Amino acid sequence: MKDLFRAAKDAAGDLVGKAQRLIPGGKSDVDDPSDDEDDDDLPQVDVDDSDHEDLARLDEQDAEPMAIDTNASLFDDLRAIDPTPPLPLTDAHEAGFTSLIRRLDKVEGTGLTDQAVVRRILDLVGDRLSLSVGPDGITVRGLLRRRRTAWNHVEHLTFGGRYDLVRSDGLTKIIDDVKARVGLPIPGLSWLIRKVVNGIANWLEKRIFTAEEIESLKETGGNALLAVQRRGRDIELSGPLLLVSIIAPGFSEAVEQEARARGIAVDVESPTGA
């Protein structure tokens, strides 16, 4: 009798598992990396000591723009710091906030990372705030959580034109998202993000493009990943992760091309305000 009961219980469990695989967001086979490692909580950053109080005070201050030369070809420079990898992908391609800011600073010669406080903030961020894409899927690593999605769980991808994002409300959205997150777990990060965003905005305000140049920038600027619609909770890139997506053209290009090759739906949003 016990054997019959156990067999019935196992069969019921199998039926539940099969049913969950038919429900968006339901559990799938345990050997699927999207289920094994999706939504991992990351260890907290230790910033309790008094050595970080000066960084926390920066978040309450105005952030002077990162000094990008008006004559700089920013969109070309972004492709220089995050070039599109060979496609189709045979390995992961990663774009992280820390490495991108350091490369951007070096290419533009802004002197941003000459500041000790900036280097300390970047050291605290480490390999958080990174986006990666590979043959297996897409990984989004935020400040508190890593979310990994296998390609067979990606249902739809949303992109925005990079030029349209920086010319319309994309930069404003980044600032608003950061301000809405009261008390980011890394002191000084809000200040640093605002410096970079303000620098890009300042560069744009000082540039006057002809109609032909605008069309060229729209074409060569490419698209930036905005959201991953997937089985389970969708992933929307906001705040610092949206900034990473905007300044990492190679990452987004790789995601878009890999998705199209797999027949995954790709949508490019129109700007909401120019």
Side-chain angles (χ1 to χ4, degrees), residues 51-65:
D51 291 342
H52 298 106
E53 291 179 358
D54 59 330
L55 298 183
R57 285 193 292 270
L58 290 174
D59 291 327
E60 306 301 322
Q61 301 176 12
D62 292 335
E64 289 296 321

Side-chain angles (χ1 to χ4, degrees), residues 103-120:
R103 292 176 199 164
L104 183 60
D105 175 47
K106 183 176 181 180
V107 169
E108 301 298 345
T110 68
L112 182 66
T113 57
D114 290 342
Q115 301 178 52
V117 291
V118 171
R119 296 195 300 271
R120 287 167 57 198

Side-chain angles (χ1 to χ4, degrees), residues 113-148:
T113 57
D114 290 342
Q115 301 178 52
V117 291
V118 171
R119 296 195 300 271
R120 287 167 57 198
I121 294 167
L122 293 177
D123 287 343
L124 288 172
V125 174
D127 59 0
R128 297 168 193 257
L129 299 180
S130 65
L131 306 170
S132 65
V133 56
D136 297 329
I138 304 169
T139 299
V140 176
R141 186 180 176 101
L143 292 171
L144 302 174
R145 182 170 295 171
R146 182 185 70 172
R147 291 166 291 179
R148 180 180 175 185

Side-chain angles (χ1 to χ4, degrees), residues 11-223:
D14 289 341
L15 288 173
V16 171
K18 291 177 181 178
Q20 286 177 329
R21 286 192 284 272
L22 298 176
I23 301 172
K27 285 288 185 181
S28 182
D29 297 330
V30 295
D31 60 353
D32 189 317
S34 175
D35 292 311
D36 273 351
E37 302 184 52
D38 187 37
D39 292 350
D40 289 342
D41 290 333
L42 300 175
Q44 292 185 356
V45 181
D46 184 9
V47 291
D48 292 333
D49 60 79
S50 59
D51 291 342
H52 298 106
E53 291 179 358
D54 59 330
L55 298 183
R57 285 193 292 270
L58 290 174
D59 291 327
E60 306 301 322
Q61 301 176 12
D62 292 335
E64 289 296 321
M66 180 182 187
I68 301 175
D69 190 327
T70 306
N71 297 316
S73 181
L74 182 58
F75 285 78
D76 290 337
D77 292 341
L78 293 181
R79 289 201 171 275
I81 68 172
D82 184 49
T84 302
L87 301 173
L89 293 171
T90 57
D91 201 355
H93 176 79
E94 181 171 290
F97 179 83
T98 297
S99 59
L100 288 170
I101 296 304
R102 286 174 173 156
R103 292 176 199 164
L104 183 60
D105 175 47
K106 183 176 181 180
V107 169
E108 301 298 345
T110 68
L112 182 66
T113 57
D114 290 342
Q115 301 178 52
V117 291
V118 171
R119 296 195 300 271
R120 287 167 57 198
I121 294 167
L122 293 177
D123 287 343
L124 288 172
V125 174
D127 59 0
R128 297 168 193 257
L129 299 180
S130 65
L131 306 170
S132 65
V133 56
D136 297 329
I138 304 169
T139 299
V140 176
R141 186 180 176 101
L143 292 171
L144 302 174
R145 182 170 295 171
R146 182 185 70 172
R147 291 166 291 179
R148 180 180 175 185
T149 307
W151 281 117
N152 65 338
H153 280 194
V154 177
E155 299 176 340
H156 188 97
L157 294 172
T158 302
F159 291 81
R162 183 166 283 100
Y163 173 82
D164 291 328
L165 283 167
V166 298
R167 290 297 292 187
S168 57
D169 64 352
L171 298 181
T172 301
K173 185 178 186 300
I174 293 172
I175 296 296
D176 289 344
D177 288 340
V178 170
K179 288 180 178 178
R181 301 180 185 185
V182 179
L184 287 177
I186 295 179
L189 179 58
S190 169
W191 171 81
L192 179 55
I193 291 169
R194 285 182 283 122
K195 282 186 73 69
V196 176
V197 171
N198 290 341
I200 297 173
N202 194 48
W203 176 83
L204 286 164
E205 289 173 2
K206 293 180 179 179
R207 292 295 298 263
I208 299 177
F209 299 108
T210 65
E212 291 77 12
E213 287 173 330
I214 290 174
E215 288 306 311
S216 177
L217 286 171
K218 286 183 177 181
E219 181 178 351
T220 60
N223 301 319

